[in-house]
Amino acid sequence: QVQLVESGGGLVQAGGSLRLSCAASGSIFSINAMGWYRQAPGKQRELVARISSGGSTKYVDSVKGRFTISRDNAKSTVYLQMNSLKPEDTAVYYCNVFALGVYWGQGTQVTVSS
């Protein structure tokens, strides 16, 4: 089992920045890919960014050039640096980990005001 604790969400004006963190505990030896999803009201949950155990990254087109995903394997933590935030980035952001199964964080609200 893997437990995930997210932090870093909040309210920010358009153009601002936030940094999300997700710390994993438990069976961390089995962690492979780590990532972030988001779900806006009335919309489906979508992949925002993912990073493999080897450091390869993938982003949804709408955040390319603005968001950066990274991980610290020593701390079993994945980060999402979000710059140039837009109102359409408003959503609940969920940490996601593949570790002999799929695990989700509790979600953290990101609200971008115009």
Side-chain angles (χ1 to χ4, degrees), residues 48-71:
V48 176
R50 178 181 293 157
I51 184 167
S52 72
S53 57
S56 298
T57 58
K58 177 181 178 179
Y59 297 92
V60 67
D61 287 345
S62 60
V63 308
K64 287 180 179 177
R66 300 188 297 122
F67 291 11
T68 302
I69 190 170
S70 61
R71 63 191 286 173

Side-chain angles (χ1 to χ4, degrees), residues 11-31:
L11 173 64
V12 64
Q13 289 188 332
S17 298
L18 285 173
R19 188 193 195 204
L20 305 182
S21 299
C22 174
S25 61
S27 301
I28 58 175
F29 63 90
S30 62
I31 291 176

Side-chain angles (χ1 to χ4, degrees), residues 10-105:
L11 173 64
V12 64
Q13 289 188 332
S17 298
L18 285 173
R19 188 193 195 204
L20 305 182
S21 299
C22 174
S25 61
S27 301
I28 58 175
F29 63 90
S30 62
I31 291 176
N32 191 346
M34 306 179 81
W36 291 92
Y37 283 68
R38 66 186 179 187
Q39 187 166 19
K43 295 188 177 181
Q44 290 188 332
R45 190 174 297 190
E46 67 169 352
L47 173 67
V48 176
R50 178 181 293 157
I51 184 167
S52 72
S53 57
S56 298
T57 58
K58 177 181 178 179
Y59 297 92
V60 67
D61 287 345
S62 60
V63 308
K64 287 180 179 177
R66 300 188 297 122
F67 291 11
T68 302
I69 190 170
S70 61
R71 63 191 286 173
D72 184 334
N73 291 328
K75 296 181 178 180
S76 301
T77 299
V78 62
Y79 305 96
L80 186 68
Q81 178 66 43
M82 305 185 293
N83 299 328
S84 302
L85 282 160
K86 303 176 180 180
E88 51 263 44
D89 294 318
T90 295
V92 178
Y93 284 69
Y94 296 91
C95 177
N96 169 271
V97 166
F98 288 89
L100 301 179
V102 179
Y103 297 90
W104 293 92

